[in-house]
Amino acid sequence: MYVVFEGIDTVGKSTQIARLRERFDDCVLTREPGGTALGKKIRTILLDEGNIHPRSEALLFLADRAEHTERIIRPNLERLILSDRSFISGIAYAHVHEKIAVDMLLQLNRFATDGIFPDTVILFRIDRETLSARLGQKSGDAIEKRGIDYMLEVQKTMGELVDLLDIDHLVVDAADPLETITETIYQHIKERL
Ligand code: TMP
């Protein structure tokens, strides 16, 4: 089963993945961008450069996704895969950044994933105040430097996408206590295994 953790930066996706790993033996942990050897190189280019044309940027994320699909996702579909991000980030960030049409991005992402989409999505949501406080505590990468309004618009687009595509999902409030969030996600996944 392919489970994806989605949400804008600082919502706590990786913290929850680390906590859930202890509850699920033998799960596959992975991430986009950077889940493969090629992906690690692409990730460095994407997050360190900062001055990449939006279409080039979208295509680099798609190259990472194609590689990730074939090397990590497809071979492990019989196991439990917990992935930090997916095509949902791919569409939402690119759509808000450069207003690339969602239809076009969907087509490109179907190509990159060969139609392999997540079985369920854990969608984290965060309010403006909490986001602002959390961003203040870290030095952002090239994408986080685009600011709070951009990130909240990305968050809104992520929610619209899971509805539009009718993907099974669980909405999680990033401001809830860590243990509550872990338990809710654990139950959601367990019911589907
Ligand atoms: P991370 O910090 O969660 O690893 O994600 C790296 C950054 O890349 C984050 O700001 C979200 C962004 N991103 C995109 O812009 N497009 C994508 O397709 C993906 C997967 C991530």
Side-chain angles (χ1 to χ4, degrees):
M1 185 169 80
Y2 175 23
V3 182
V4 151
F5 290 65
E6 280 290 2
I8 54 175
D9 314 74
T10 79
V11 292
K13 300 182 296 296
S14 44
T15 304
Q16 288 299 332
I17 291 174
R19 290 168 69 92
L20 286 155
R21 151 193 234 166
E22 292 173 10
R23 299 217 194 176
F24 292 109
D25 301 336
D26 197 35
C27 58
V28 176
L29 298 188
T30 187
R31 78 192 310 200
E32 291 185 16
T36 62
L38 173 64
K40 285 190 177 66
K41 293 184 189 167
I42 296 177
R43 182 183 174 89
T44 306
I45 297 171
L46 281 165
L47 300 185
D48 294 352
E49 291 281 328
N51 187 26
I52 304 175
H53 189 278
R55 285 205 310 281
S56 324
E57 180 183 282
L59 289 167
L60 283 167
F61 277 114
L62 284 159
D64 169 77
R65 186 157 304 125
E67 193 70 7
H68 187 237
T69 301
E70 295 308 328
R71 307 271 178 224
I72 311 287
I73 305 299
R74 193 194 297 277
N76 288 299
L77 281 172
E78 297 302 312
R79 296 172 62 190
L80 173 62
I81 304 169
L82 305 181
S83 180
D84 194 336
R85 298 194 188 275
S86 70
F87 83 99
I88 293 170
S89 282
I91 294 183
Y93 281 87
H95 175 64
V96 178
H97 185 34
E98 182 64 359
K99 299 281 168 259
I100 303 173
V102 169
D103 278 0
M104 163 73 80
L105 289 166
L106 249 178
Q107 243 180 308
L108 289 166
N109 275 280
R110 286 214 163 93
F111 174 70
T113 61
D114 198 25
I116 299 180
F117 281 2
D119 295 302
T120 192
V121 177
I122 313 299
L123 186 61
F124 289 68
R125 299 192 67 82
I126 191 166
D127 60 85
R128 180 179 284 271
E129 292 67 37
T130 315
L131 174 62
S132 161
R134 290 189 186 177
L135 280 175
Q137 287 164 15
K138 66 187 289 238
S139 58
D141 62 37
I143 292 169
E144 287 162 3
K145 288 201 171 83
R146 289 175 196 158
I148 290 185
D149 288 340
Y150 170 77
M151 287 168 69
L152 288 174
E153 191 60 29
V154 170
Q155 169 168 277
K156 186 165 149 260
T157 306
M158 286 177 170
E160 289 166 358
L161 269 173
V162 290
D163 288 341
L164 175 78
L165 299 174
D166 203 16
I167 302 183
D168 180 56
H169 64 282
L170 169 74
V171 176
V172 166
D173 184 344
D176 279 349
L178 282 186
E179 185 52 38
T180 310
I181 299 179
T182 309
E183 188 56 35
T184 310
I185 301 174
Y186 176 70
Q187 291 304 335
H188 178 86
I189 295 176
K190 230 178 77 180
E191 279 164 18
R192 283 158 179 75
L193 280 175

